[in-house]
């Protein structure tokens, strides 16, 4: 027979608060998204019959030489800068510094 005293936990109580009952209140949270196209001045342009990248560059940037910037900005839709088609929608990047 052991004479050691054992711990007495008979008066210990526990309580658990569930976070599921107390949902976070997001009613005053707002979000806003600004389009980078508006911030940097990018526009879109629909190619018309008779257009060339040089003609578009001259009209929008004042320099036909800016056609390269238009081409580079649209490599995902234009494979050959000499082959653009009416109805294609391209991006017009912000005016190049050298145009």
């Amino acid at each position: 027979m052991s004479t050691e005293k054992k711990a007495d936990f008979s008066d210990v109580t526990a309580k658990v608060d569930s976070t599921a009952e107390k949902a976070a209140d997001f009613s005053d949270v707002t979000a806003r998204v600004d389009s980078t196209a508006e911030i940097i001045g990018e526009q879109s342009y629909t190619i018309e019959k008779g257009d060339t990248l040089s003609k578009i560059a001259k009209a929008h940037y004042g320099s036909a030489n800016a056609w390269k910037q238009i081409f580079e900005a649209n490599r995902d839709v234009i494979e050959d800068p000499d082959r653009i088609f009416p109805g294609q929608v391209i991006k017009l990047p912000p005016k190049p510094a050298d145009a």
Side-chain angles (χ1 to χ4, degrees), residues 33-71:
V33 176
D34 289 323
S35 169
T36 55
E38 292 171 11
I39 294 170
I40 63 171
E42 185 175 271
Q43 300 174 345
S44 64
Y45 177 80
T46 303
I47 301 206
E48 298 175 3
K49 185 174 180 163
D51 277 344
T52 64
L53 293 184
S54 295
K55 182 178 173 183
I56 297 166
K58 177 75 173 162
H60 289 274
Y61 304 122
S63 171
N65 291 330
W67 73 267
K68 294 173 191 166
Q69 284 82 4
I70 296 173
F71 176 61

Side-chain angles (χ1 to χ4, degrees), residues 11-94:
D11 62 346
V12 174
T13 59
K15 179 180 176 188
V16 176
D17 287 325
S18 171
T19 56
E21 294 174 15
K22 299 177 183 178
D25 179 11
F26 293 105
S27 62
D28 62 345
V29 175
T30 59
R32 179 178 161 183
V33 176
D34 289 323
S35 169
T36 55
E38 292 171 11
I39 294 170
I40 63 171
E42 185 175 271
Q43 300 174 345
S44 64
Y45 177 80
T46 303
I47 301 206
E48 298 175 3
K49 185 174 180 163
D51 277 344
T52 64
L53 293 184
S54 295
K55 182 178 173 183
I56 297 166
K58 177 75 173 162
H60 289 274
Y61 304 122
S63 171
N65 291 330
W67 73 267
K68 294 173 191 166
Q69 284 82 4
I70 296 173
F71 176 61
E72 289 301 323
N74 290 282
R75 284 201 172 254
D76 57 331
V77 291
I78 300 174
E79 292 181 26
D80 181 340
D82 294 322
R83 295 179 51 89
I84 59 175
F85 304 96
Q88 273 184 306
V89 178
I90 61 171
K91 298 179 286 274
L92 294 179

